Amino acid sequence: MRYFNLTQMRATKLVAFLVVCIVVMLSGCKSTPEEKAVVLLKEDAKLYTNSLKLEQEWEDYGIGDPFIMRYNGRFYLYCSTKDFRPGIKAWSSENLVDWKYEGLVTEDLITTGAYAPEVFYWNGSFYLYTSPAGQGHYVLQSDSPTGPFVVKTENLGNSIDGSVFIDDDGKWYFTNAGTQGIVAHEMPDPLTIDVGVTTNAFLGHWTEGSMIWKRNGLYYMTYTGNHVFSNGYRVNYAVSKDGPFGDYTIPANNPIVISVKDEFKGLGHSATVLGPDMDSYYLTYHNLVGHSSEGPPVRELNIDRLAYNGDKLVVFGPSHDHMQPAPAMPSLYSWLTDGISSEQWDKSSSAAEQKVLSKLSTEDAFIAEYNFRLNFSDSAVDSGTIAAVFSYADEANYSAIKLWPGKHEIGYVTVQNGSEKQLAQALLPSEFDYSKLHTIRVEQRDDSVLVFFDGMKKIEEHTAKPSGGKIGYIANQSQPIYEYTAFTNEAGGSSDFEAYKPVPGAIESVHYLKEADRGFHLEQKSSETSDFRKADGVPIRKLDDGSYSVSLLQGGDWLKYKLNVKDHAKYGIGLTLKKPEKDVVLEWSIDGGEAVKTKIKADDPAFVEGTAKVRIGTIEIAAGFHELKIELKAGPVEMHSFELFAIDLLDKEQPFHSLSSQTGMGLFGQSEDDYSGSGIDDDMLFAGSDNWDNYELTFDVQLNAETDIGGVFVRASNESYHPAQVRDAVMGYYIGISSSQLTLNRMNYDSNLVASETAELETGKAYSFRVVAKDGNIQLFLGDGSTPVINYTDPYPFLHGKVGIRSERSTMLFNHLMINPLKK
């Protein structure tokens, strides 16, 4: 386990910085950027780093295909079982960081080599789904998350990586891996799987590791491909408005998790879980270490924060060897079965009524969760009630979600001046047994109250004036047993605003910090009605893709963001924004330090589609935790998001063959600076730095047959090779060369043709080419020509990456490859 508390990290430079900061504050001296980076965290902040190491992992196998279930305020982790071993292991946690080994939850021989076990709770039972050795699915059942689980079905087939989703109406769905996309099925009951339908959630090859969850009426699915031993194993997501079967929209910001570096590669098979604070979401996934001595993969556990910009899903990561703040806990939480603490709760009772109320009150926006079970005979069901209370001011003024077990019904009621009024009601599944644990979750946002019962959204009601107050229970003629009860002063994803955004990485503009003159400042409050964060008064607009943009209208307007910077470096700034009406000037500063001025030209050709991602400057940032301020000096400007990426300055020309960072795929032959294609394989060779941004590549090409096809890569990253994966496993740009055509292709684990020109290249003759990659513009020159034969500006460019060559089963010859810095 690799987690830290600031008070425990005496051997690390982070604590050294903290000590220096204390000395600096006491002495009144100025602090360094590193010292400032530390004091932004609370003194008791817990930190952790991926990859996590747990006790009792499978030896020489680790934790692969992780799945985390949240139940009664705790988390339960399950993972694949090592080949030829029976049983399934589990761990538990209260905070997603500290994990306790719970042992084998089953030792049934049917679970030998159990793939990707997932556990779901429903009405007192835990259902475990797994495909042992990949030979079809079995369902096991238990009355505890830690087992023992008992096999309840025969082999149900349906490939591997089964996952369950329960919709708001109580209907069950099952998804599994497929050759043409994730397959979705209806489930008449937890033990039966109907015939499936292949969805369009597909990675161009074998696609697996699916999971569906629902948020704000949208169905999110994550899925993985293409082979567990591929460095480019990765996670995509898709969004459906119509239901678990799709049709899914595949957002442009895919993949959301990928890394091919030797120290952190093969990232995938993710699962999503609600965080401890009940507002945040977290993604768990594994990384590949290598082969075990017996052949199966060795993998490690990782957990990173998810966040939302409207419909858009983003990951604060993937992070590795980069300290992250541990997930936040609720403002108040207790397992009341352990005893009702008089420091946190007030308890009172009468002959007919029992009341438990928190001493602490929520803010106006909050999430509260109530876990309970009823302890009475069937004959008393019709008369007993239990109310989950919130916004409690006094006994004559509060709100509640009231449960009538005998009617299988809940109602949203308010009590004002002693008068009760029911605002909404909803029916619950008729099979529910209320002597089993059930959960009510209330989420009060700026303008609405959402009510969930056992994860199903049952009520959404507009509220004109939200208010905080105490939470608790009022039971009438019933004997409830209260379990985990909690609230947090976050709602609707508001915790995303205060979360530290890892750098390098992309940051959504709408995720600025809370509170006027702390997270944002407006010289004059906008008269327009914002589509999001309405109380702030900041102009926020919902875009066609369901995400939000933020506008700064007057000079002096500013926004602030929390950053968690991995390495001290110079970072390029790529800003995605709407085409401005006039030139825009923005200043970027760290922790109140000297500002970097950047300018966006209104006539930049990148804005051909109206919105574009443009490279606008460079800023130096020290490692650690910081606040970034973006201030408008001239504008206005409408910003969508921005990327901060480390850059390696290319300060001199470098021959391709001299670069020590070459990674090869295929059978390129080399003699000095000549590279010849094998003619039998898809040969690819990459070199340079992922952090090169602007440069020029010159090279000569000779076609040795009319059918020869090949080309060069620029701004390439995340390149991968494995026989069982998509063919174009790289991100960046590829310039294709044949005897009759020159093409420019945008690569993102597929190939999208963006420009092409006809050519007449003779076999046996060498041709000179020059490629210029500057900001979002890619130009290709042939020979000594001063006019590019291809001149393409990508509105959403890859802004950095290495160079590479490719021979597509041809004998194409490359030589004199030279990478040059661009002249100022």
Side-chain angles (χ1 to χ4, degrees):
M1 172 67 69
R2 299 162 68 191
Y3 67 86
F4 306 86
N5 186 290
L6 287 183
T7 60
Q8 299 169 338
M9 295 173 59
R10 298 176 182 174
T12 68
K13 65 180 180 180
L14 191 56
V15 165
F17 290 157
L18 181 57
V19 172
V20 172
C21 283
I22 295 172
V23 173
V24 166
M25 287 186 288
L26 292 174
S27 66
C29 299
K30 293 183 178 180
S31 58
T32 67
E34 289 87 353
E35 293 158 1
K36 291 179 181 178
V38 177
V39 295
L40 292 173
L41 280 178
K42 296 180 181 178
E43 289 184 11
D44 61 350
K46 183 184 287 291
L47 304 175
Y48 77 100
T49 61
N50 287 320
S51 300
L52 300 177
K53 305 295 189 297
L54 307 190
E55 60 174 331
Q56 297 296 318
E57 293 183 5
W58 288 104
E59 187 178 354
D60 196 27
Y61 190 72
I63 292 181
D65 310 320
F67 175 82
I68 298 176
M69 176 190 67
R70 183 175 180 271
Y71 166 77
N72 197 21
R74 291 186 172 91
F75 299 91
Y76 295 88
L77 167 69
Y78 309 86
C79 67
S80 285
T81 300
K82 189 174 184 180
D83 294 39
F84 318 119
R85 276 70 168 178
I88 295 172
K89 293 187 174 185
W91 293 259
S92 66
S93 175
E94 294 179 9
N95 59 11
L96 290 175
V97 170
D98 302 301
W99 291 96
K100 173 189 174 185
Y101 181 56
E102 295 288 354
L104 293 168
V105 299
T106 180
E107 298 183 61
D108 196 300
L109 290 177
I110 205 73
T111 62
T112 299
Y115 284 9
E118 298 194 1
V119 178
F120 300 86
Y121 175 77
W122 181 258
N123 196 32
S125 288
F126 298 85
Y127 297 93
L128 186 154
Y129 300 80
T130 186
S131 52
Q135 301 300 312
H137 287 88
Y138 293 83
V139 186
L140 292 78
Q141 187 176 358
S142 175
D143 60 4
S144 167
T146 56
F149 282 87
V150 178
V151 178
K152 303 297 289 187
T153 68
E154 299 296 326
N155 192 329
L156 301 177
N158 294 305
S159 182
I160 65 171
D161 291 357
S163 185
V164 166
F165 167 72
I166 304 172
D167 211 341
D168 293 336
D169 57 4
K171 289 184 178 180
W172 286 50
Y173 298 87
F174 184 87
T175 57
N176 60 265
T179 58
Q180 296 298 315
I182 296 298
V183 183
H185 315 248
E186 289 188 354
M187 298 181 69
D189 58 69
L191 306 179
T192 307
I193 303 171
D194 279 351
V195 176
V197 175
T198 300
T199 71
N200 65 316
F202 183 46
L203 285 172
H205 203 278
W206 177 255
T207 306
E208 61 188 23
S210 59
M211 181 179 179
I212 297 175
W213 70 99
K214 193 174 184 180
R215 182 179 184 272
N216 290 345
L218 299 177
Y219 299 83
Y220 289 85
M221 182 194 290
T222 49
Y223 49 99
T224 286
N226 292 306
H227 192 280
V228 71
F229 279 114
S230 164
N231 287 4
Y233 197 61
R234 64 203 187 280
V235 179
N236 265 38
Y237 83 104
V239 184
S240 169
K241 296 180 180 179
D242 304 322
F245 292 97
D247 205 10
Y248 282 93
T249 299
I250 315 299
N253 65 314
N254 274 303
I256 52 172
V257 172
I258 187 171
S259 175
V260 303
K261 300 181 184 302
D262 286 341
E263 64 272 17
F264 198 53
K265 63 188 178 184
L267 314 185
H269 198 116
S270 70
T272 298
V273 65
L274 191 68
D277 68 354
M278 305 176 294
D279 181 65
S280 59
Y281 286 76
Y282 285 84
L283 190 81
T284 181
Y285 58 94
H286 69 237
N287 66 284
L288 176 68
V289 176
H291 289 76
S292 71
S293 59
E294 297 176 2
V298 178
R299 294 165 292 186
E300 297 174 319
L301 172 68
N302 302 275
I303 298 173
D304 277 316
R305 175 74 182 267
L306 285 181
Y308 301 87
N309 173 4
D311 301 350
K312 182 181 180 182
L313 178 67
V314 296
V315 176
F316 295 165
S319 67
H320 179 248
D321 278 342
H322 184 185
M323 288 185 179
Q324 306 293 327
M329 300 301 290
S331 305
L332 170 75
Y333 63 99
S334 295
W335 284 269
L336 298 183
T337 42
D338 296 338
I340 299 177
S341 167
S342 60
E343 294 181 359
Q344 292 183 310
W345 303 92
D346 290 318
K347 182 179 179 180
S348 61
S349 61
S350 64
E353 184 179 87
Q354 182 187 98
K355 186 183 296 183
V356 177
L357 293 170
S358 64
K359 290 183 179 292
L360 190 65
S361 294
T362 71
E363 296 178 0
D364 290 349
F366 65 88
I367 296 171
E369 181 176 292
Y370 313 79
N371 290 269
F372 62 91
R373 46 196 169 95
L374 303 185
N375 183 21
F376 49 71
S377 65
D378 290 341
S379 62
V381 166
D382 290 341
S383 58
T385 64
I386 180 172
V389 176
F390 58 97
S391 300
Y392 185 95
D394 53 50
E395 62 182 9
N397 296 277
Y398 62 87
S399 298
I401 306 303
K402 186 176 287 189
L403 167 66
W404 291 272
K407 298 192 294 183
H408 293 283
E409 182 179 313
I410 58 171
Y412 172 25
V413 302
T414 60
V415 177
Q416 294 182 342
N417 299 320
S419 177
E420 181 175 302
K421 179 180 180 182
Q422 181 168 307
L423 302 181
Q425 65 86 33
L427 292 175
L428 302 176
S430 59
E431 71 266 26
F432 271 3
D433 176 356
Y434 300 100
S435 69
K436 309 299 184 183
L437 185 135
H438 294 278
T439 305
I440 292 175
R441 168 187 164 95
V442 176
E443 183 168 356
Q444 182 166 281
R445 302 179 179 178
D446 291 340
D447 57 359
S448 60
V449 172
L450 283 65
V451 180
F452 301 81
F453 197 96
D454 287 0
M456 301 174 289
K457 189 176 80 170
K458 290 299 182 183
I459 294 173
E460 182 170 358
E461 191 73 12
H462 178 76
T463 177
K465 187 178 180 182
S467 61
K470 299 177 180 181
I471 72 163
Y473 302 89
I474 298 177
N476 190 284
Q477 295 183 359
S478 63
Q479 299 295 319
I481 298 172
Y482 304 125
E483 300 272 359
Y484 182 77
T485 309
F487 75 76
T488 187
N489 291 311
E490 305 285 358
S494 63
S495 61
D496 294 344
F497 313 153
E498 296 292 317
Y500 281 93
K501 310 329 186 263
V503 175
I507 299 167
E508 302 301 307
S509 297
V510 77
H511 286 165
Y512 59 86
L513 295 175
K514 298 178 184 178
E515 302 171 14
D517 296 322
R518 173 183 173 267
F520 62 94
H521 172 80
L522 302 176
E523 291 294 306
Q524 182 176 345
K525 191 170 183 178
S526 173
S527 60
E528 301 177 9
T529 301
S530 294
D531 293 334
F532 186 53
R533 303 187 67 169
K534 297 178 181 179
D536 292 353
V538 176
I540 297 176
R541 183 170 69 93
K542 191 166 188 177
L543 306 172
D544 291 341
D545 67 355
S547 66
Y548 295 100
S549 66
V550 181
S551 292
L552 299 176
L553 302 179
Q554 298 187 30
D557 290 358
W558 54 258
L559 304 169
K560 280 186 180 178
Y561 304 84
K562 287 184 176 179
L563 305 183
N564 178 9
V565 181
K566 184 174 184 180
D567 298 308
H568 187 158
K570 290 183 177 180
Y571 290 89
I573 304 170
L575 177 65
T576 301
L577 71 159
K578 182 181 177 181
K579 176 179 170 59
E581 297 179 358
K582 57 184 180 180
D583 291 355
V584 173
V585 177
L586 294 170
E587 285 191 347
W588 305 65
S589 59
I590 301 295
D591 302 332
E594 184 178 354
V596 171
K597 185 173 291 188
T598 63
K599 186 174 184 178
I600 301 106
K601 302 283 288 183
D603 59 357
D604 190 316
F607 293 112
V608 64
E609 296 181 3
T611 301
K613 177 182 177 181
V614 293
R615 169 69 187 279
I616 62 171
T618 302
I619 186 170
E620 185 172 354
I621 316 177
F625 298 92
H626 300 278
E627 286 186 355
L628 167 69
K629 180 180 179 182
I630 305 175
E631 182 170 350
L632 180 69
K633 290 299 181 181
V637 62
E638 181 179 336
M639 305 185 298
H640 295 197
S641 62
F642 55 95
E643 178 188 5
L644 297 173
F645 55 94
I647 56 174
D648 291 337
L649 295 177
L650 188 65
D651 56 3
K652 62 180 180 180
E653 66 176 15
Q654 298 187 45
F656 184 89
H657 69 271
S658 71
L659 299 172
S660 60
S661 55
Q662 291 187 1
T663 57
M665 310 169 195
L667 302 170
F668 261 119
Q670 181 183 0
S671 175
E672 295 183 354
D673 68 344
D674 292 348
Y675 295 85
S676 55
S678 67
I680 59 173
D681 205 345
D682 189 6
D683 310 313
M684 286 184 276
L685 192 63
F686 296 88
S689 170
D690 282 340
N691 298 333
W692 282 350
D693 54 353
N694 293 334
Y695 53 80
E696 176 186 84
L697 172 66
T698 60
F699 59 96
D700 293 344
V701 165
Q702 180 177 306
L703 307 180
N704 293 316
E706 288 188 2
T707 56
D708 277 358
I709 301 174
V712 296
F713 295 94
V714 293
R715 300 260 180 84
S717 64
N718 288 312
E719 67 279 4
S720 173
Y721 180 77
H722 190 276
Q725 70 170 26
V726 293
R727 177 174 178 269
D728 295 309
V730 64
M731 301 168 74
Y733 301 98
Y734 176 59
I735 295 169
I737 301 171
S738 70
S739 60
S740 59
Q741 193 174 35
L742 303 173
T743 61
L744 177 62
N745 305 269
R746 194 179 191 276
M747 314 292 279
N748 189 14
Y749 274 67
D750 57 13
S751 182
N752 180 29
L753 178 67
V754 295
S756 67
E757 289 293 334
T758 58
E760 296 181 0
L761 305 184
E762 300 176 14
T763 58
K765 180 179 178 180
Y767 291 88
S768 296
F769 287 92
R770 180 166 60 99
V771 181
V772 176
K774 183 178 186 300
D775 300 335
N777 181 246
I778 308 293
Q779 295 181 334
L780 174 67
F781 297 84
L782 177 58
D784 295 328
S786 59
T787 301
V789 293
I790 289 178
N791 186 359
Y792 176 73
T793 297
D794 189 349
Y796 303 100
F798 297 104
L799 290 172
H800 53 95
K802 54 179 73 74
V803 297
I805 57 177
R806 182 179 196 176
S807 177
E808 303 181 44
R809 292 179 175 83
S810 72
T811 58
M812 181 178 287
L813 175 68
F814 297 87
N815 56 25
H816 304 143
L817 287 111
M818 192 73 65
I819 304 96
N820 305 300
L822 291 185
K823 297 178 180 179
K824 295 290 185 182

